[in-house]
Short mmCIF file of all heavy atoms in Angstrom, two decimals:
data_model
loop_
_atom_site.label_atom_id
_atom_site.label_comp_id
_atom_site.label_asym_id
_atom_site.label_seq_id
_atom_site.Cartn_x
_atom_site.Cartn_y
_atom_site.Cartn_z
N LEU B 11 113.18 108.37 80.64
CA LEU B 11 114.08 107.68 81.57
C LEU B 11 115.54 107.99 81.26
O LEU B 11 116.44 107.67 82.05
CB LEU B 11 113.86 106.16 81.52
CG LEU B 11 112.46 105.71 81.96
CD1 LEU B 11 112.42 104.18 82.07
CD2 LEU B 11 112.06 106.33 83.29
N LEU B 18 120.23 101.22 81.57
CA LEU B 18 119.53 100.99 82.84
C LEU B 18 120.18 99.84 83.61
O LEU B 18 120.30 99.89 84.83
CB LEU B 18 118.05 100.66 82.58
CG LEU B 18 117.14 101.85 82.29
CD1 LEU B 18 115.73 101.35 82.01
CD2 LEU B 18 117.13 102.84 83.44
N ILE B 19 120.60 98.81 82.87
CA ILE B 19 121.24 97.67 83.55
C ILE B 19 122.52 98.12 84.23
O ILE B 19 122.77 97.82 85.41
CB ILE B 19 121.54 96.54 82.53
CG1 ILE B 19 120.24 95.89 82.09
CG2 ILE B 19 122.49 95.50 83.14
CD1 ILE B 19 120.41 94.78 81.07
N LEU B 21 123.33 101.12 85.23
CA LEU B 21 122.98 101.96 86.37
C LEU B 21 122.51 101.12 87.55
O LEU B 21 122.91 101.33 88.71
CB LEU B 21 121.86 102.92 85.93
CG LEU B 21 121.38 103.94 86.96
CD1 LEU B 21 122.50 104.91 87.28
CD2 LEU B 21 120.16 104.70 86.41
N HIS B 22 121.68 100.13 87.21
CA HIS B 22 121.12 99.27 88.26
C HIS B 22 122.24 98.52 88.99
O HIS B 22 122.25 98.46 90.22
CB HIS B 22 120.14 98.28 87.63
CG HIS B 22 119.20 97.65 88.61
ND1 HIS B 22 117.92 98.10 88.82
CD2 HIS B 22 119.36 96.61 89.48
CE1 HIS B 22 117.33 97.37 89.75
NE2 HIS B 22 118.20 96.45 90.18
N GLU B 25 124.14 100.89 91.25
CA GLU B 25 123.39 101.26 92.46
C GLU B 25 123.26 100.08 93.43
O GLU B 25 123.09 100.25 94.62
CB GLU B 25 121.99 101.79 92.10
CG GLU B 25 122.02 103.20 91.56
CD GLU B 25 120.61 103.77 91.39
OE1 GLU B 25 119.74 103.47 92.24
OE2 GLU B 25 120.39 104.48 90.40
N ILE B 150 119.99 94.04 94.74
CA ILE B 150 119.53 94.18 93.35
C ILE B 150 118.02 94.41 93.32
O ILE B 150 117.51 95.23 92.55
CB ILE B 150 119.94 92.94 92.52
CG1 ILE B 150 121.44 92.97 92.27
CG2 ILE B 150 119.19 92.89 91.19
CD1 ILE B 150 122.00 91.74 91.59
N SER B 151 117.31 93.73 94.19
CA SER B 151 115.85 93.91 94.16
C SER B 151 115.46 95.24 94.79
O SER B 151 114.53 95.90 94.35
CB SER B 151 115.16 92.74 94.85
OG SER B 151 115.10 92.96 96.23
N LEU B 152 116.19 95.67 95.83
CA LEU B 152 115.79 96.88 96.55
C LEU B 152 116.06 98.16 95.79
O LEU B 152 115.40 99.17 96.03
CB LEU B 152 116.49 96.93 97.92
CG LEU B 152 115.88 96.05 99.01
CD1 LEU B 152 116.71 96.15 100.28
CD2 LEU B 152 114.44 96.47 99.28
N VAL B 153 117.00 98.16 94.86
CA VAL B 153 117.29 99.36 94.08
C VAL B 153 116.01 99.91 93.43
O VAL B 153 115.79 101.11 93.36
CB VAL B 153 118.35 99.05 92.99
CG1 VAL B 153 118.39 100.18 91.96
CG2 VAL B 153 119.72 98.90 93.61
N SER B 154 115.15 98.98 93.03
CA SER B 154 113.95 99.41 92.30
C SER B 154 113.06 100.34 93.11
O SER B 154 112.33 101.15 92.55
CB SER B 154 113.16 98.18 91.84
OG SER B 154 112.87 97.39 92.95
N VAL B 155 113.13 100.25 94.43
CA VAL B 155 112.32 101.13 95.26
C VAL B 155 112.71 102.59 95.04
O VAL B 155 111.90 103.50 95.22
CB VAL B 155 112.45 100.76 96.76
CG1 VAL B 155 111.51 101.59 97.61
CG2 VAL B 155 112.13 99.28 96.94
N GLY B 156 113.95 102.80 94.61
CA GLY B 156 114.42 104.16 94.34
C GLY B 156 113.57 104.89 93.31
O GLY B 156 113.61 106.11 93.21
N ALA B 157 112.79 104.15 92.55
CA ALA B 157 111.91 104.76 91.56
C ALA B 157 110.95 105.76 92.23
O ALA B 157 110.52 106.73 91.61
CB ALA B 157 111.12 103.68 90.84
N LEU B 158 110.65 105.52 93.48
CA LEU B 158 109.67 106.35 94.17
C LEU B 158 110.26 107.67 94.64
O LEU B 158 109.55 108.56 95.06
CB LEU B 158 109.09 105.59 95.37
CG LEU B 158 108.36 104.30 95.00
CD1 LEU B 158 107.95 103.55 96.25
CD2 LEU B 158 107.13 104.61 94.15
N ILE B 159 111.59 107.80 94.63
CA ILE B 159 112.16 109.07 95.07
C ILE B 159 112.90 109.75 93.92
O ILE B 159 114.13 109.86 93.89
CB ILE B 159 113.11 108.90 96.27
CG1 ILE B 159 114.16 107.83 95.97
CG2 ILE B 159 112.35 108.54 97.52
CD1 ILE B 159 115.47 108.12 96.65
N ASN B 161 112.86 108.97 90.44
CA ASN B 161 113.41 108.17 89.35
C ASN B 161 114.84 107.69 89.58
O ASN B 161 115.67 107.72 88.71
CB ASN B 161 113.35 108.95 88.03
CG ASN B 161 111.98 108.80 87.39
OD1 ASN B 161 111.12 108.09 87.95
ND2 ASN B 161 111.77 109.45 86.27
N GLN B 162 115.17 107.29 90.79
CA GLN B 162 116.50 106.77 91.07
C GLN B 162 116.48 105.24 91.17
O GLN B 162 117.34 104.66 91.79
CB GLN B 162 117.06 107.37 92.37
CG GLN B 162 117.32 108.85 92.29
CD GLN B 162 118.32 109.22 91.20
OE1 GLN B 162 119.07 108.39 90.73
NE2 GLN B 162 118.29 110.48 90.77
N GLY B 163 115.47 104.63 90.60
CA GLY B 163 115.33 103.18 90.76
C GLY B 163 115.89 102.34 89.65
O GLY B 163 115.68 101.14 89.62
N ALA B 164 116.61 102.96 88.68
CA ALA B 164 117.18 102.25 87.55
C ALA B 164 116.12 101.38 86.87
O ALA B 164 115.10 101.90 86.40
CB ALA B 164 118.39 101.43 87.98
N LEU B 165 116.29 100.08 86.84
CA LEU B 165 115.29 99.22 86.19
C LEU B 165 113.93 99.36 86.86
O LEU B 165 112.89 99.15 86.23
CB LEU B 165 115.75 97.75 86.24
CG LEU B 165 116.90 97.39 85.28
CD1 LEU B 165 117.49 96.04 85.65
CD2 LEU B 165 116.42 97.38 83.84
N GLY B 166 113.92 99.74 88.14
CA GLY B 166 112.67 99.94 88.85
C GLY B 166 111.84 101.07 88.22
O GLY B 166 110.61 101.07 88.32
N ASN B 167 112.52 102.03 87.59
CA ASN B 167 111.79 103.11 86.95
C ASN B 167 110.85 102.60 85.86
O ASN B 167 109.86 103.22 85.53
CB ASN B 167 112.76 104.12 86.34
CG ASN B 167 113.58 104.81 87.42
OD1 ASN B 167 113.26 104.69 88.60
ND2 ASN B 167 114.63 105.50 87.01
N LEU B 168 111.22 101.44 85.30
CA LEU B 168 110.36 100.86 84.25
C LEU B 168 108.99 100.48 84.81
O LEU B 168 108.00 100.49 84.10
CB LEU B 168 111.03 99.61 83.65
CG LEU B 168 112.23 99.85 82.72
CD1 LEU B 168 112.78 98.52 82.26
CD2 LEU B 168 111.80 100.70 81.52
N LEU B 169 108.97 100.13 86.10
CA LEU B 169 107.68 99.76 86.70
C LEU B 169 106.75 100.96 86.70
O LEU B 169 105.56 100.85 86.35
CB LEU B 169 107.91 99.26 88.14
CG LEU B 169 108.73 97.97 88.28
CD1 LEU B 169 109.07 97.73 89.74
CD2 LEU B 169 107.97 96.80 87.70
N ALA B 170 107.32 102.14 87.07
CA ALA B 170 106.50 103.36 87.06
C ALA B 170 106.10 103.71 85.63
O ALA B 170 104.94 104.06 85.36
CB ALA B 170 107.29 104.50 87.70
N ALA B 171 107.06 103.56 84.71
CA ALA B 171 106.78 103.89 83.31
C ALA B 171 105.69 102.99 82.74
O ALA B 171 104.87 103.42 81.93
CB ALA B 171 108.07 103.78 82.49
N ALA B 172 105.69 101.73 83.16
CA ALA B 172 104.69 100.80 82.66
C ALA B 172 103.28 101.29 82.98
O ALA B 172 102.36 101.21 82.16
CB ALA B 172 104.92 99.42 83.28
N GLN B 173 103.13 101.86 84.20
CA GLN B 173 101.82 102.40 84.58
C GLN B 173 101.49 103.66 83.79
O GLN B 173 100.41 103.82 83.23
CB GLN B 173 101.83 102.74 86.07
CG GLN B 173 101.61 101.53 86.94
CD GLN B 173 101.46 101.93 88.39
OE1 GLN B 173 102.16 102.80 88.88
NE2 GLN B 173 100.52 101.28 89.08
N LEU B 180 106.79 96.63 79.86
CA LEU B 180 107.95 97.26 80.52
C LEU B 180 108.11 96.71 81.94
O LEU B 180 109.24 96.52 82.43
CB LEU B 180 107.78 98.78 80.57
CG LEU B 180 107.93 99.50 79.23
CD1 LEU B 180 107.75 101.00 79.42
CD2 LEU B 180 109.28 99.20 78.60
N ALA B 181 106.99 96.45 82.61
CA ALA B 181 107.06 95.89 83.97
C ALA B 181 107.63 94.48 83.92
O ALA B 181 108.49 94.10 84.73
CB ALA B 181 105.67 95.87 84.60
N ASN B 183 109.58 93.34 81.61
CA ASN B 183 111.00 93.54 81.29
C ASN B 183 111.79 93.81 82.58
O ASN B 183 112.82 93.18 82.85
CB ASN B 183 111.11 94.73 80.32
CG ASN B 183 112.55 94.97 79.90
OD1 ASN B 183 113.47 94.66 80.64
ND2 ASN B 183 112.75 95.53 78.71
N ALA B 184 111.30 94.74 83.40
CA ALA B 184 112.01 95.13 84.62
C ALA B 184 112.19 93.94 85.55
O ALA B 184 113.30 93.66 86.03
CB ALA B 184 111.24 96.24 85.34
N VAL B 185 111.10 93.22 85.76
CA VAL B 185 111.15 92.10 86.72
C VAL B 185 112.08 91.00 86.22
O VAL B 185 112.95 90.52 86.97
CB VAL B 185 109.73 91.55 86.96
CG1 VAL B 185 109.79 90.24 87.73
CG2 VAL B 185 108.88 92.57 87.70
N THR B 187 114.51 91.19 83.97
CA THR B 187 115.91 91.62 83.92
C THR B 187 116.54 91.60 85.32
O THR B 187 117.66 91.13 85.51
CB THR B 187 116.01 93.03 83.33
OG1 THR B 187 115.32 93.05 82.09
CG2 THR B 187 117.47 93.41 83.09
N MET B 188 115.80 92.11 86.30
CA MET B 188 116.34 92.13 87.66
C MET B 188 116.59 90.71 88.16
O MET B 188 117.62 90.43 88.79
CB MET B 188 115.40 92.88 88.61
CG MET B 188 115.53 94.38 88.48
SD MET B 188 114.63 95.25 89.78
CE MET B 188 112.99 95.28 89.14
N LEU B 191 119.65 89.33 86.49
CA LEU B 191 120.85 89.95 87.06
C LEU B 191 121.19 89.32 88.42
O LEU B 191 122.35 89.00 88.71
CB LEU B 191 120.65 91.46 87.25
CG LEU B 191 120.68 92.31 85.98
CD1 LEU B 191 120.41 93.78 86.34
CD2 LEU B 191 122.00 92.18 85.25
N ALA B 230 111.05 93.46 97.71
CA ALA B 230 111.20 94.54 96.76
C ALA B 230 110.46 95.80 97.17
O ALA B 230 110.78 96.88 96.72
CB ALA B 230 110.72 94.09 95.38
#
Side-chain angles (χ1 to χ4, degrees):
Chain B
L11 297 188
L18 280 178
I19 289 179
L21 182 65
H22 198 97
E25 284 188 37
I150 288 174
S151 85
L152 281 177
V153 165
S154 56
V155 185
L158 299 174
I159 53 148
N161 276 359
Q162 294 300 341
L165 287 166
N167 295 348
L168 287 178
L169 296 171
Q173 279 187 320
L180 288 180
N183 182 332
V185 169
T187 308
M188 281 190 277
L191 286 178

